[in-house]
Amino acid sequence: MKRFAVVLLSALLGLSLLAGAAFAGEITIKGSTTVLPIAQACAEKFMAENPDVSITVSGGGSGNGIKALIDGTTDIADASRPIKDREIKMAEEKGIEPMDHKVAIDAVIPVVHPSNPVDNLTLDQLMKIYTGKIKNWSEVGGEDKHIAVVTRDTSSGTFETWEKKVLEGKRVLPRSIVVASAGAMNQTVANNPLAIGYNGIGYIEDNEDIETLSINGIPANTETALSGEFPVVRFLHMYTDGEPAGDTKAFIDFIFSAEGQKQVKQAGFLPVK
Amino acid sequence: MPQAGTLKGDRLPKAVIAVLASTGMAIMLFIIAFLLREGVPILQEATLGEILTGVYWYPTSDEPDFGMLPLILGSISVTLLSSLLAIPISICLAIFLSEICPRGVGELFKPVLEILSFFPSVVLGFLGMMLIAPWLQQTFQLFSGLNMFNASVLMGIMIVPIISSLTEDSLSAIPKTLRDASYALGATRMETVLKVVVPAALPGILQACLLGIMRAIGETMVVLMAAGGAAVIPRSIMDPVRPLTSTIAAEMGETPVGSVHYNALFFIGVLLLVMTLLINLLAQWIEQRGKRWR
């Protein structure tokens, strides 16, 4: 019994050490589920080229990633939003200096059911739909049917972009249907002919169950997003503690390399270089 | 004569049990302390009255609102509706299993029922999203099939195995002598079941129901996926709702740690704890009453 307890305790101790600081040749990446596909694809490529380095990638959300960076339990924090002032303050208190690396660009695009005849909305119309001033599709050139407004939960990075660029800080209609993930957004819109939603470009491409809308007559695609014409775009970030060094630096450099940015593109986002 | 607890071989197991038991207790206390530590600071931003009676939930706005009334009512309404759907079915099922069906069928059915109670809720949530929601929307011409009714039906399906399995246990625990006495008085099987066995097992049945209700309040995945998530006070059962649990699940991941929003989410945790505690007290009260009934 005693021996068992000793074994159990030492195993726990070992695990907590592992979770604490990364060993040489090991990189941990945590954070936003939006950035996750990029981190995953790049990690696989990077490990294939550098077999002595092992990279652990996990999701959990931007907030959790940044918290892990502040606690020193991750080398890289993925975030689909810029770090908040409060988080910078908390980090500084612990002697951590978050450094921003903008690894990709994401466009957030309005989507509807394929049966919906509407294919373009102005920013103003979108704002009015999402604040509840426009309630019927006929007011924007569609059929005489109620609009089912679908939104992401308020703390999602995608929502934050939408709130800033489309709602201009106004409050989203309380009766809107709230979904908890990008996948759930696609499902909900695909299943509801009355719905309007929005999603990152990486989750929309090649999805035939939903249809994208143009904003102000500008279709959402790589060119319009890169040129800045498409109005709802955001950066995806990776944060490190200060200037990255060693394997972490090699990995960040890899993401900005031609091969890394190719992975960004394959994951459905827009390269920054 | 050796006293209890002084035998050499007796000391170690006693110590092990004491250590493990107090570890369990300490973990529980730490969880509560942590919840309170992270949740209570929200009261510096909003008063308890504002939180409990406010109807606007905008935790991330520039001037945030932390009204949790729609969330509390969301939790209560989904729980109530699912209990209304599940409890009659569960009790009938339990009576059937324990009193009516042939023994062989019961022995086959009971384990199946118990396995069903471990059915992953995320799968049910997925069914709600992919099958029930579009069906509800088309059939009833709703603006969305993700609503309170959808979530309650799924939650009902989830708690039926729990309630009926526990009810069946308490029905089977009623001694055979009681039934024999009833039959000896000339009662029919129906009279024996409804007037003797069920009343005798009533405290157990009520506790089974309360356990099911507690499970429903705490359930997260189904309400996250199928309830629609709108933080409004529901006016009909076809309205979308946002229960407390799904609010935590949807928002915690991206919330800056230590922010006011983070505190608010932990406060929701405190509220859930208080709600389950109240139901637990109710269960204990029923047990006390039950002793008197017998």
Side-chain angles (χ1 to χ4, degrees):
Chain A
M1 198 66 212
K2 255 183 202 160
R3 203 170 297 155
F4 175 70
V6 170
V7 170
L8 194 75
L9 268 180
S10 43
L12 279 176
L13 205 69
L15 273 177
S16 62
L17 275 177
L18 272 179
F23 293 89
E26 277 188 19
I27 306 174
T28 50
I29 305 175
K30 271 184 206 166
S32 164
T33 46
T34 311
V35 191
L36 189 64
I38 298 177
Q40 233 155 11
C42 286
E44 274 163 30
K45 277 274 164 195
F46 187 80
M47 283 191 285
E49 285 174 19
N50 306 276
D52 52 327
V53 180
S54 91
I55 306 179
T56 321
V57 185
S58 60
S62 308
N64 280 331
I66 291 171
K67 163 138 197 327
L69 186 75
I70 294 171
D71 292 344
T73 56
T74 190
D75 300 303
I76 298 173
D78 293 342
S80 59
R81 58 167 169 85
I83 189 166
K84 300 233 159 102
D85 291 343
R86 198 191 152 86
E87 289 167 331
I88 296 178
K89 220 179 89 197
M90 278 176 70
E92 278 166 353
E93 277 165 17
K94 290 205 177 174
I96 304 264
E97 217 181 298
M99 183 174 172
D100 186 6
H101 310 270
K102 297 186 176 72
V103 296
I105 299 169
D106 186 17
V108 181
I109 305 171
V111 289
V112 292
H113 195 267
S115 71
N116 197 318
V118 175
D119 57 6
N120 175 58
L121 289 172
T122 66
L123 262 185
D124 188 56
Q125 283 171 328
L126 278 173
M127 192 260 279
K128 282 181 175 147
I129 288 172
Y130 268 86
T131 51
K133 286 200 189 83
I134 294 180
K135 291 193 168 89
N136 198 297
W137 280 111
S138 63
E139 291 173 65
V140 292
E143 292 169 53
D144 182 21
K145 278 178 178 158
H146 194 87
I147 302 177
V149 177
V150 189
T151 186
R152 286 287 307 278
D153 47 276
T154 48
S155 38
S156 116
T158 317
F159 171 78
E160 210 162 295
T161 309
W162 193 254
E163 189 186 34
K164 212 181 290 162
K165 303 278 166 74
V166 176
L167 294 174
E168 294 163 4
K170 290 191 186 65
R171 288 182 164 185
V172 64
L173 174 74
R175 277 186 69 80
S176 51
I177 298 155
V178 184
V179 292
S181 68
M185 175 62 88
N186 284 349
Q187 294 298 352
T188 307
V189 175
N191 282 332
N192 189 339
L194 310 177
I196 183 168
Y198 54 84
N199 227 340
I201 192 169
Y203 284 93
I204 289 173
E205 274 180 357
D206 307 326
N207 192 332
E208 284 166 14
D209 301 329
I210 52 176
E211 199 135 297
T212 60
L213 296 180
S214 308
I215 299 183
N216 296 342
I218 302 158
N221 54 42
T222 318
E223 289 77 44
T224 56
L226 276 178
S227 71
E229 274 180 277
F230 191 77
V232 196
V233 288
R234 62 167 164 173
F235 281 107
L236 300 182
H237 310 253
M238 287 193 182
Y239 286 94
T240 54
D241 174 18
E243 197 69 56
D247 291 330
T248 311
K249 176 172 168 28
F251 182 70
I252 295 280
D253 287 344
F254 174 79
I255 290 186
F256 287 112
S257 71
E259 180 58 35
Q261 290 294 304
K262 204 177 112 197
Q263 298 302 323
V264 165
K265 217 169 167 180
Q266 267 173 18
F269 300 101
L270 312 171
V272 283
K273 280 193 178 154
Chain B
M1 202 179 105
Q3 279 178 315
T6 56
L7 278 175
K8 202 172 169 244
D10 210 21
R11 221 175 281 161
L12 186 61
K14 201 175 159 187
V16 168
I17 287 177
V19 166
L20 289 181
S22 41
T23 311
M25 235 135 78
I27 290 172
M28 293 302 151
L29 287 178
F30 276 125
I31 290 175
I32 294 173
F34 182 73
L35 266 183
L36 289 175
R37 196 193 74 183
E38 302 289 328
V40 168
I42 189 66
L43 295 176
Q44 291 166 356
E45 303 291 325
T47 65
L48 192 62
E50 276 167 19
I51 291 176
L52 294 181
T53 61
V55 294
Y56 292 109
W57 174 251
Y58 285 101
T60 56
S61 294
D62 276 342
E63 276 174 41
D65 271 329
F66 296 105
M68 293 183 189
L69 188 64
L71 313 179
I72 297 170
L73 291 179
S75 268
I76 292 177
S77 57
V78 170
T79 305
L80 264 184
L81 186 58
S82 59
S83 310
L84 281 178
L85 294 170
I87 288 175
I89 299 175
S90 311
I91 292 180
C92 292
L93 193 59
I95 292 176
F96 174 76
L97 279 179
S98 137
E99 310 294 326
I100 300 168
C101 77
R103 174 153 297 169
V105 180
E107 268 164 16
L108 195 78
F109 216 77
K110 186 83 196 295
V112 173
L113 203 61
E114 271 161 9
I115 289 170
L116 268 182
S117 64
F118 302 114
F119 195 72
S121 57
V122 64
V123 180
L124 279 177
F126 194 65
L127 291 180
M129 231 163 112
M130 301 298 293
L131 295 176
I132 304 182
W135 178 80
L136 274 179
Q137 185 177 12
Q138 273 162 21
T139 316
F140 298 99
Q141 296 293 313
L142 303 169
F143 83 105
S144 169
L146 297 172
N147 56 29
M148 184 176 141
F149 182 71
N150 189 344
S152 301
V153 167
L154 293 167
M155 196 105 93
I157 294 173
M158 229 170 70
I159 60 177
V160 161
I162 297 168
I163 302 179
S164 55
S165 160
L166 288 171
T167 302
E168 203 269 345
D169 283 344
S170 56
L171 287 175
S172 328
I174 301 302
K176 190 164 173 293
T177 48
L178 214 61
R179 290 164 229 243
D180 289 345
S182 169
Y183 288 135
L185 288 171
T188 62
R189 195 174 188 183
M190 185 74 160
E191 285 165 338
T192 307
V193 170
L194 291 183
K195 294 189 176 158
V196 176
V197 180
V198 170
L202 203 57
I205 296 175
L206 287 174
Q207 278 197 330
C209 295
L210 287 177
L211 209 70
I213 291 172
M214 266 173 15
R215 176 86 167 86
I217 286 187
E219 163 52 35
T220 308
M221 219 51 221
V222 158
V223 286
L224 183 64
M225 295 171 82
V232 285
I233 294 172
R235 274 177 244 141
S236 92
I237 58 168
M238 293 298 178
D239 270 359
V241 289
R242 183 182 190 83
L244 294 161
T245 47
S246 65
T247 306
I248 300 181
E251 297 176 12
M252 194 51 107
E254 302 280 343
T255 305
V257 173
S259 64
V260 186
H261 185 194
Y262 177 86
N263 295 142
L265 293 180
F266 269 96
F267 194 79
I268 294 180
V270 175
L271 280 184
L272 280 166
L273 191 76
V274 170
M275 281 165 84
T276 39
L277 196 71
L278 285 178
I279 298 179
N280 224 323
L281 288 176
L282 190 67
Q284 274 178 14
W285 181 77
I286 286 173
E287 206 185 345
Q288 294 291 319
R289 289 286 299 259
K291 276 181 194 145
R292 236 182 293 155
W293 288 334
R294 276 183 219 166

